[in-house]
């Protein structure tokens, strides 16, 4: 053996990975010394002074938690805090859900929504029957991390049309056509509400058509729900698509995040739910699946973190705190709706080329502006306005102090690049 030190991981075996684009954008924003810089990249709520907002109800729950003499730092069970996961399932499926009453649901606490998507992907990679290596279908575009999560567990991915660059709305016919042509039994990932990154959601009638198509092709639906209550301000409205599929008897799974709607970004509170179809063996199916999910969870994180789940659980299980949380949700969603209206109105008053109704037609934290990558870079270089290169902006980054500044910069760049 040759003498001297060497690595068993040379560059040709372990190449340098590219920086995560979103976190790279955040780093560039922090380095910018401009006093008028604007961050429209990161998906986290900010108040009208561009500051993080701890929900008042979260502050109350936090204070109550710390006064609890039973507070401790013991391990949670593998499946997590039961009071939290059961309340999360009721929130997603509805308290009167037949699936819950029939005990057709198993729920696991996860490392926020990312962990829920990963746990579901890992389970499907091991146990979902794919005789012809059928891919997982995502919307085009989708949350960038979907691609990495599913490919990391060995599942091939493809996309179905979703966003229409022409209308800046939903390419509904393209989506249905792709789902119809997809190999029978494919896994289809769906955004439950406030589609990331486009902010474009199907109507309830369109969801019904999507469900009919998925059933006709025997596809398996996987819902990712990161914005329940945050999108429209109405928890039930934002859960409508998931509940409809469950009521229609689909077997499906759901990734649920509490980062956005509780503002618990760093506490990583989430849930993964598997819902069995309503057949005579449903209870047995759920029990077997829960046993395998427990093995997968144990091998990766052993058990989930306690703190964020306890905060969320207190609020979800206390009627008074729950109603206050709903008020907090309306505050956040309402401010974002106001910013959509202000941005659109100012762009139109400035005579900005193009149409801008899509700003108010879209919903949730993000808006797909239709700006090109060249226009995005020009905004960053000339005006210190930061957004992802595909033109997605976080509406939460806008406020009454900077929305006119942003609108003028966008208008100028669009006119200059016509």
């Amino acid at each position: 053996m040759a003498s001297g030190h060497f690595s068993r991981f040379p560059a040709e075996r372990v190449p340098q990975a590219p920086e995560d684009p979103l976190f790279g954008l955040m780093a560039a924003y922090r380095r910018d010394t401009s006093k008028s810089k604007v961050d429209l990249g990161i998906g986290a709520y900010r108040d009208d002074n561009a500051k993080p907002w701890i929900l008042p109800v979260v502050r109350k729950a936090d204070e109550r938690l710390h006064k609890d003499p039973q507070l401790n730092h013991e391990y949670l069970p593998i499946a997590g805090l039961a009071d939290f996961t059961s309340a999360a399932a009721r929130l997603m499926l509805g308290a009167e859900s037949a699936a819950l009453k029939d005990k057709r649901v198993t729920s696991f606490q996860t490392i926020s929504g990312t962990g829920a998507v990963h746990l579901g992907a890992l389970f499907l990679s091991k146990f979902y029957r794919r005789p012809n290596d059928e891919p997982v279908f995502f919307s085009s575009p989708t949350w960038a991390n979907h691609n990495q999560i599913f490919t990391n567990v060995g599942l091939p991915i493809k996309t179905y049309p979703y966003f229409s660059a022409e209308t800046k709305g939903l390419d509904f016919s393209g989506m249905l056509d792709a789902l119809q042509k997809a190999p029978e039994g494919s896994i289809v990932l769906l955004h439950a509400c406030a589609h990331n990154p486009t902010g474009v959601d199907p109507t309830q009638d369109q969801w019904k058509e999507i469900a009919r198509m998925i059933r006709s092709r025997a596809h398996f639906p996987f819902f990712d729900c990161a914005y329940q209550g945050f999108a429209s301000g109405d928890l039930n409205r934002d859960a409508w698509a998931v509940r409809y599929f469950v009521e229609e008897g689909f077997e499906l799974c759901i990734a649920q995040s509490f980062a956005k709607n509780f503002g618990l970004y760093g506490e990583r509170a989430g849930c993964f739910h598997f819902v069995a179809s309503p057949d005579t063996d449903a209870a047995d199916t759920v029990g077997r699946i829960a046993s395998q999910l427990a093995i997968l969870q144990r091998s990766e994180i052993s058990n989930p973190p306690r703190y964020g789940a306890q905060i969320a659980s207190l609020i979800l299980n206390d009627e008074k705190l729950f109603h206050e949380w709903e008020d907090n949700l309306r505050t956040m969603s309402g401010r974002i709706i106001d910013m959509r209206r202000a941005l659109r109105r100012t762009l139109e008053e400035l005579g900005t080329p193009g149409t801008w109704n899509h700003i108010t037609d879209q919903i949730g934290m993000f808006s797909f502006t239709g700006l090109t990558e060249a226009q995005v870079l020009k905004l960053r270089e000339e005006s210190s306005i930061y957004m992802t290169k595909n033109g997605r902006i976080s509406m939460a980054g806008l406020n009454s102090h900077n929305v006119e500044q942003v609108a003028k910069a966008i208008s100028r760049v669009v006119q200059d690049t016509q």
Side-chain angles (χ1 to χ4, degrees), residues 358-378:
H358 59 280
I359 298 293
T360 51
D361 291 343
Q362 296 166 6
I363 191 172
M365 180 169 283
F366 300 111
S367 178
F368 228 44
T369 60
L371 296 171
T372 66
E373 184 174 347
Q375 290 169 333
V376 167
L377 293 176
K378 195 174 177 67

Side-chain angles (χ1 to χ4, degrees), residues 152-204:
N152 281 349
V153 299
L155 289 173
I157 58 175
K158 286 190 176 181
T159 61
Y160 54 84
Y162 191 85
F163 183 76
S164 167
E166 181 180 352
T167 67
K168 299 181 179 65
L170 179 65
D171 182 0
F172 185 57
S173 61
M175 178 182 182
L176 286 184
D177 184 61
L179 294 179
Q180 197 277 327
K181 292 176 180 176
E184 187 172 287
S186 295
I187 299 165
V188 180
L189 191 135
L190 302 161
H191 297 232
C193 63
H195 183 275
N196 180 4
T198 68
V200 174
D201 285 353
T203 65
Q204 290 184 3

Side-chain angles (χ1 to χ4, degrees), residues 26-48:
M26 291 167 57
Y29 173 80
R30 287 193 295 269
R31 290 193 300 268
D32 193 323
T33 58
S34 172
K35 292 182 179 180
S36 60
K37 63 183 180 180
V38 180
D39 179 9
L40 302 180
I42 192 64
Y45 183 78
R46 297 292 182 260
D47 66 16
D48 198 50

Side-chain angles (χ1 to χ4, degrees), residues 251-308:
E251 186 172 56
L252 53 81
C253 54
I254 308 156
Q256 182 182 24
S257 170
F258 291 95
K260 305 295 194 299
N261 55 13
F262 274 103
L264 293 172
Y265 303 100
E267 306 306 335
R268 315 310 291 144
C271 272
F272 173 77
H273 309 282
F274 186 96
V275 183
S277 55
D279 58 44
T280 55
D281 296 325
D284 176 68
T285 299
V286 165
R288 287 184 289 101
I289 288 171
S291 73
Q292 294 294 341
L293 289 170
I295 289 174
L296 297 178
Q297 178 109 307
R298 170 67 167 147
S299 68
E300 294 205 330
I301 65 171
S302 281
N303 34 53
R306 175 181 285 271
Y307 180 71

